[in-house]
Amino acid sequence: MEHGDSKVDLVHRNEAPASRILIVAVGICALIAIVSVIIAAVALSRPSTPNITVNGGTVSGGTTGASGGSSGASSARAAVSSTNGGRVWGIQVGHDFAIQEYINTTGYLAGFHLDLIDAVCTAAGANCYSIWDQYTNCWDSEVGQHSHGGQALLDSWYDACTGWAQNVGRIQVFGFSKPFVKNAAIYLHFKTGSTYNENDVTGKTIGFLDSWIPDEKCLEQTTVTGANAITVKHFATTDALNTAIQNGQVDAGFASGKSMKAFDNVLTKSTKIYSCSIQGLSMMTRKDSDFNAMWNRGFDKIVSNGKFKELCKKSSQTHGSEARGQFVDCVDT
């Protein structure tokens, strides 16, 4: 019996630690569950969309701000509800378009387009913010292919792209606001001092700015001989296109005079002027967006009160330079 009692006591002593471990494990699981419930409750109690803070300020009714973007921006819709119940409109702006879009000496986006966005959104009483992104995310073109809508605008990373001319291809994909800047004149650009025939480009290599109106399809619509018998090269920036012209990588560039304004001292334009647009520069949006209704309402207001003409005149003093140009060719109102 004594030997048997010893065995029973040993079993109980071994079971005690196991029981404590089980109790501790259950307690930990319960604690984790409670913490999870608390976190979920806090998340649900927050606004569905936070205030958008740009340059140290918070976007509010009738104001605009600028923020940085990227080609990898979130695919979440740009138009969301703000904490005050108003809608927030995301507007894409680039940085390589003469007096209209550039990066200033402090590193921020600047130009006529930013001023116009601020004025229109204020007049419309709209919550707007601008975001930098690549032009190809609004409209893209590939060598040998028809140009097509950019991923960001199609996927609603933002609501609108700023300052896009209307042509037959684009109006079949996107919607447009009333134009605010006239169509830009397009030229063949040659290296100054080089020998060329602007009327015949057969067998030549021609450079184009990726996503811009003057693409190879546009050149084929002109009276230039051999436009359908060229080697096509695309470039992401005006700097890259000019460099290619200067080093002989391409024989000429096909682009607007305004976009290549900074290189007037080293490039010679063709004597002939071309155009492939049916309307001037506008806001470009998805066809199912109501952004343009808001924009046109605000634009009409600044036209009627004289603010638009004032912005156009003021742009030469605010943003004009030898490299960017001295004026914006606004539409007649």
Side-chain angles (χ1 to χ4, degrees), residues 186-253:
I186 300 170
Y187 304 87
L188 278 165
H189 300 263
F190 302 91
K191 180 180 179 179
T192 297
S194 64
T195 301
Y196 58 86
N197 180 357
E198 68 174 65
N199 298 311
D200 189 345
V201 294
T202 304
K204 302 297 183 180
T205 300
I206 308 298
F208 302 86
L209 289 171
D210 198 11
S211 80
W212 292 64
I213 280 275
D215 58 10
E216 56 266 39
K217 303 300 181 183
C218 173
L219 181 60
E220 290 176 7
Q221 296 174 27
T222 69
T223 58
V224 178
T225 302
N228 59 350
I230 61 173
T231 298
V232 175
K233 288 187 179 295
H234 282 202
F235 298 89
T237 67
T238 55
D239 282 330
L241 177 56
N242 175 62
T243 298
I245 296 171
Q246 298 305 319
N247 64 24
Q249 184 181 352
V250 299
D251 297 294

Side-chain angles (χ1 to χ4, degrees), residues 91-109:
I91 303 174
Q92 180 273 353
V93 180
H95 74 282
D96 192 20
F97 192 16
I99 193 173
Q100 284 154 246
E101 297 174 358
Y102 62 94
I103 294 178
N104 64 22
T105 55
T106 62
Y108 286 103
L109 288 172

Side-chain angles (χ1 to χ4, degrees), residues 3 9 27 57 96 175 299 305:
H3 186 64
D9 291 341
D96 192 20
F299 180 69
N305 65 21

Side-chain angles (χ1 to χ4, degrees), residues 46-328:
R46 290 179 176 174
S48 60
T49 304
N51 281 335
I52 299 171
T53 302
V54 274
N55 298 344
T58 301
V59 172
S60 58
T63 61
T64 59
S67 73
S70 71
S71 57
S74 168
S75 60
R77 295 187 67 86
V80 295
S81 295
S82 65
T83 53
N84 65 2
R87 187 163 184 182
V88 180
W89 301 97
I91 303 174
Q92 180 273 353
V93 180
H95 74 282
D96 192 20
F97 192 16
I99 193 173
Q100 284 154 246
E101 297 174 358
Y102 62 94
I103 294 178
N104 64 22
T105 55
T106 62
Y108 286 103
L109 288 172
F112 172 76
H113 284 168
L114 272 295
D115 298 342
L116 182 64
I117 290 170
D118 182 67
V120 170
C121 288
T122 298
N127 298 330
C128 301
Y129 70 94
S130 59
I131 179 170
W132 175 90
D133 203 2
Q134 299 176 19
Y135 293 123
T136 52
N137 276 331
C138 290
W139 187 261
D140 200 5
S141 55
E142 299 175 21
V143 176
Q145 302 294 321
H146 284 284
S147 299
H148 55 84
Q151 180 184 2
L153 191 54
L154 286 173
D155 286 350
S156 298
W157 292 1
Y158 28 75
D159 296 286
C161 294
T162 308
W164 290 77
Q166 304 177 42
N167 69 358
V168 174
R170 289 178 180 175
I171 62 174
Q172 296 180 79
V173 180
F174 291 127
F176 291 85
S177 70
K178 293 181 177 180
F180 42 82
V181 174
K182 295 178 182 177
N183 289 327
I186 300 170
Y187 304 87
L188 278 165
H189 300 263
F190 302 91
K191 180 180 179 179
T192 297
S194 64
T195 301
Y196 58 86
N197 180 357
E198 68 174 65
N199 298 311
D200 189 345
V201 294
T202 304
K204 302 297 183 180
T205 300
I206 308 298
F208 302 86
L209 289 171
D210 198 11
S211 80
W212 292 64
I213 280 275
D215 58 10
E216 56 266 39
K217 303 300 181 183
C218 173
L219 181 60
E220 290 176 7
Q221 296 174 27
T222 69
T223 58
V224 178
T225 302
N228 59 350
I230 61 173
T231 298
V232 175
K233 288 187 179 295
H234 282 202
F235 298 89
T237 67
T238 55
D239 282 330
L241 177 56
N242 175 62
T243 298
I245 296 171
Q246 298 305 319
N247 64 24
Q249 184 181 352
V250 299
D251 297 294
F254 190 61
S256 71
K258 182 172 293 185
S259 64
M260 302 301 288
K261 175 65 180 175
F263 313 106
D264 279 352
N265 60 327
V266 293
L267 294 178
T268 299
K269 300 185 187 73
S270 59
T271 57
K272 291 184 178 179
I273 302 173
Y274 306 100
S275 176
C276 293
S277 304
I278 57 178
Q279 286 285 352
L281 306 191
S282 312
M283 304 302 287
M284 186 169 72
T285 69
R286 284 171 53 102
K287 284 182 177 288
D288 60 358
S289 172
D290 52 358
F291 175 90
N292 285 330
M294 176 280 293
W295 179 272
N296 288 339
R297 184 173 65 253
F299 180 69
D300 287 344
K301 286 183 178 180
I302 67 170
V303 167
S304 62
N305 65 21
K307 178 69 174 178
F308 179 65
K309 281 189 175 181
E310 179 184 332
L311 283 176
C312 294
K313 290 180 180 180
K314 189 178 178 181
S315 63
S316 61
Q317 300 174 351
T318 309
H319 306 292
S321 72
E322 184 176 352
R324 291 191 293 266
Q326 297 293 344
F327 71 97
V328 177

